[in-house]
Amino acid sequence: MDAILNPYYVDIVIFWIIYILLGLGLNLITGYAGQVSLGHAAFFGIGAYSSAILTVTYGVNPWISMIVSIGITFVVSAVLGLPSLRVREDFLAITTLGLGLIVQSFFKNAAITGGAFGIDSIPAPSIFGIELKNAGYLILSTVVMLLAIYALKKMTGSRIGRAWRTIREDETMAQAMGIHTTYYKVLAFAIGGAYAGLAGSLFAHKVSFISAESFGFSVSATVLSMVVLGGLGSIRGTIFGVTLLYFLPEIFRIFEFDLIDPKYLDIYKMMLYGLLMVLVMRFKPKGLFGNFGIKRSQFRFFRKAKAKEGGHVA
């Protein structure tokens, strides 16, 4: 199968899946629990470095290192989330931004992370002695993404998800209802961080080399743009937002346009992101899928009203 699938296109899909995992984690923190985070790339990096250090430095099996890195990111995210819970809104965003910069600085300077040189020769996971590359890694990433979406859907539809949404809408009212807001907010940070850690682990074993430059603020801003564009508190919105913003630059790269110089593609990408964000904030402030649930409930109300009147509703 590896001979059939073009490695370039396979890599594009795998990195798209990694961004979806990042978006789902951030959507849990920001969209469902209402905690603005500008340092999500820090959790992404913690997952990547944990997996890389375990496999390269300590010789741990890649499968085990991937699982352990998720647990490490879960714990570290909960610890890092604790000081952020004493502040709200703009102050929370600045605090998480500062945490992200501190973690990236640690990646750049600590000996265990390889400092500015990073870590290379990160092995890919293998089955029966065969390394998962190209098509094999694509299948692994796809299965992981489907399981992650299923788990998030179950969580957000459960009692925990309802508690998160109540905190998001009115934290004071949630406390009055007996909801332990600190516990649920820390839990959202921990699980959202674990999703980013999983994405980071997949990223590290895919690219085989990581450095601090891959986990900077631009990644956090890009993922936040994807989540906001798709719609906060919506899984399908997150997938749509990631897909739209991820594939638009790839279209310019795959199909050569005379008016676009590939050398400046990153600049065009940021300009395009900015333009889309301005348009969405102006005409659809809750994101493209942010109002979907409200519209559907209104439609159900309309159907019930028509049914009471004896009218036919298709």
Side-chain angles (χ1 to χ4, degrees), residues 92-104:
L92 175 61
I94 294 170
T95 303
T96 54
L97 173 63
L99 286 173
L101 295 176
I102 291 170
V103 172
Q104 190 190 20

Side-chain angles (χ1 to χ4, degrees), residues 257-276:
F257 295 94
D258 294 335
L259 298 176
I260 295 178
D261 190 339
K263 289 189 298 185
Y264 305 110
L265 192 59
D266 285 341
I267 298 175
Y268 299 146
K269 183 175 74 173
M270 297 312 294
M271 291 172 63
L272 189 62
Y273 284 5
L275 177 62
L276 284 172

Side-chain angles (χ1 to χ4, degrees), residues 5 12 84 108 122 127 139 141 150 159 174 176 179 212 231 244 251:
L5 297 176
I12 288 176
S84 307
K108 280 183 181 176
I122 304 169
I127 296 179
I139 294 171
S141 304
Y150 177 78
R159 182 171 175 272
I179 295 173
L244 181 65
I251 290 173

Side-chain angles (χ1 to χ4, degrees), residues 299-310:
F299 184 66
R300 278 203 297 268
F301 174 79
F302 173 74
R303 287 169 63 95
K304 288 179 181 177
K306 290 293 289 182
K308 285 180 181 178
E309 292 172 6

